[in-house]
Amino acid sequence: MKRIFSGVKPTGHLTLGNYLGAVRRWVEVDQHQADALFSVVDLHALTVEHDPARVRRLSRQAATLLLAAGLDPERCTVFVQSHVDEHTRLSYLMECVATDGEMRRMIQYKEKSVRARDAGQSVRLSLLTYPALMAADILAYGTDEVPVGEDQTQHVELARDLAVRFNHRYGRVFTVPKATSPAVAARVMDLQDPTSKMGKSHENGSGIVYLLDDADTVRRKVMRAVTDSGREVVHDREAAPGVANLLDLLAAATGGDPVGLAGEYTSYGSLKKDTAEAVVELLRPVRERHAELAADPGQVDRVLREGAERARGMARPLVDSAYRAIGLLPAV
């Protein structure tokens, strides 16, 4: 079976965008057709200013939500990145293979470093080098495919380049992965700014539906969604991004076609009402299962412990091979 690796970063509460854009496919497709690993990549949350207690809390919440969404530990490996030392062991080797120019060309580094400076904060070295850690996350498991959104494709391309370069210089150790963009994944936009992706770390949460929002909160956010100046319900992301976003949400929640659904509505109000109810019903089982798991933290601890052991067993032989190949003396 092909091997898949993907992860979520605990820098904010998981959103409807995370679920429809990635997690639902992991649950419905990837864990059934691949040897799949899904990680809470907590080390990546340390590249910017953060509250340690919040990172721990969000890491547990993210892991619990992945299980609540339907990831099955009997079918896939669910673990926390920092619980498997091979990620950081291999990250340094990737730094020794990567170049300064490659790191500085990363779009997210450029954007986040500007935001940090504008906020009067220092720019951490880890913000520059974290693509090397991301490459290690992927390469440590002999990963074949990495399902990612467009904003992460550049990092997978870097992982490919580093794998090829390492193999050429030191002997073949790594599988060269490829990024995959699932055709069924929905691109969910902010309800208050439908030209921007719904992100979990956006300062204003009024346009973001979080997976743990209660039903009334979900309804209120959807009903207050920004629409467009016209009156016609059409699916046109350029001319009517607000309405198109609602139609995309409704289609993703019900399995319909957004263009076809547009023909069923004559008012924004009825579209909002049906979209709100569809999203409430979509998230209801996730919230209910999360509550059950949160009430039994020992079960989540067991899944994460066993997942880390399994991941470690996959990664250690490969990382040990990389250490030998690059010229490091084996431990005795």
Side-chain angles (χ1 to χ4, degrees):
M1 295 178 72
K2 64 184 176 185
R3 181 163 290 171
I4 286 176
F5 177 92
S6 198
V8 294
K9 187 163 56 174
T11 51
H13 301 285
L14 294 187
T15 72
L16 179 63
N18 298 128
Y19 179 71
L20 292 177
V23 176
R24 186 165 69 168
R25 179 181 169 86
W26 299 351
V27 170
E28 296 179 353
V29 179
D30 292 334
Q31 69 172 338
H32 299 285
Q33 67 176 23
D35 183 6
L37 298 100
F38 302 108
S39 179
V40 178
V41 287
D42 54 343
L43 294 172
H44 290 293
L46 310 185
T47 61
V48 294
E49 292 292 331
H50 64 276
D51 173 13
R54 185 170 186 265
V55 171
R56 283 191 294 271
R57 185 171 64 252
L58 290 177
S59 295
R60 171 171 286 279
Q61 183 186 94
T64 306
L65 277 169
L66 291 181
L67 298 175
L71 287 184
D72 182 354
E74 298 299 319
R75 293 182 176 273
C76 64
T77 303
V78 181
F79 68 103
V80 175
Q81 177 193 32
S82 64
H83 295 176
V84 180
D85 293 345
E86 279 62 35
H87 290 257
T88 50
R89 288 181 63 207
L90 185 55
S91 178
Y92 182 69
L93 267 59
M94 293 298 100
E95 290 182 15
C96 294
V97 176
T99 67
D100 176 75
E102 286 173 319
M103 296 293 104
R104 295 187 186 279
R105 282 196 295 271
M106 293 290 111
I107 294 172
Q108 291 203 9
Y109 169 72
K110 293 178 180 179
E111 293 176 347
K112 291 183 178 181
S113 61
V114 169
R115 287 203 295 268
R117 292 190 183 99
D118 289 347
Q121 301 171 350
S122 58
V123 179
R124 301 187 180 194
L125 179 61
S126 57
L127 184 61
L128 176 65
T129 61
Y130 90 88
L133 175 58
M134 186 175 291
D137 297 338
I138 296 166
L139 299 180
Y141 298 100
T143 301
D144 299 295
E145 296 182 3
V146 187
V148 292
E150 293 178 5
D151 58 336
Q152 294 295 332
T153 301
Q154 187 184 34
H155 292 105
V156 181
E157 290 302 316
L158 175 65
R160 287 175 55 85
D161 292 343
L162 297 182
V164 169
R165 190 177 305 156
F166 188 102
N167 290 346
H168 177 72
R169 290 179 180 175
Y170 306 113
R172 181 172 175 79
V173 172
F174 297 114
T175 299
V176 180
K178 67 176 181 179
T180 59
S181 299
V184 297
R187 182 171 175 81
V188 182
M189 312 305 282
D190 191 288
L191 294 172
Q192 292 299 315
D193 180 9
T195 62
S196 299
K197 190 173 72 169
M198 186 181 287
K200 58 181 178 291
S201 56
H202 198 285
E203 290 183 6
N204 181 4
S206 61
I208 303 170
V209 174
Y210 296 103
L211 296 188
L212 294 180
D213 279 346
D214 61 49
D216 288 341
T217 300
V218 172
R219 291 188 184 98
R220 182 170 65 253
K221 289 180 177 180
V222 176
M223 293 302 295
R224 292 178 179 175
V226 168
T227 49
D228 307 290
S229 56
R231 294 180 178 274
E232 188 179 3
V233 178
V234 294
H235 187 266
D236 186 333
R237 292 191 180 94
E238 296 297 324
V243 173
N245 189 36
L246 289 169
L247 288 166
D248 286 338
L249 274 178
L250 180 60
T254 62
D257 170 65
V259 176
L261 287 169
E264 299 179 14
Y265 293 91
T266 58
S267 72
Y268 293 164
S270 58
L271 172 61
K272 285 184 175 182
K273 185 175 184 298
D274 285 356
T275 301
E277 292 306 318
V279 172
V280 166
E281 290 308 310
L282 177 72
L283 298 184
R284 188 187 305 280
V286 178
R287 288 200 310 274
E288 291 175 351
R289 179 59 177 152
H290 176 272
E292 294 173 3
L293 290 167
D296 184 11
Q299 182 179 353
V300 177
D301 289 340
R302 178 183 57 77
V303 169
L304 296 179
R305 182 173 60 252
E306 293 176 355
E309 291 172 356
R310 193 182 311 154
R312 198 176 300 119
M314 296 181 197
R316 181 165 294 171
L318 193 149
V319 175
D320 285 347
S321 295
Y323 266 54
R324 289 192 298 270
I326 206 170
L328 298 177
L329 187 66
V332 294

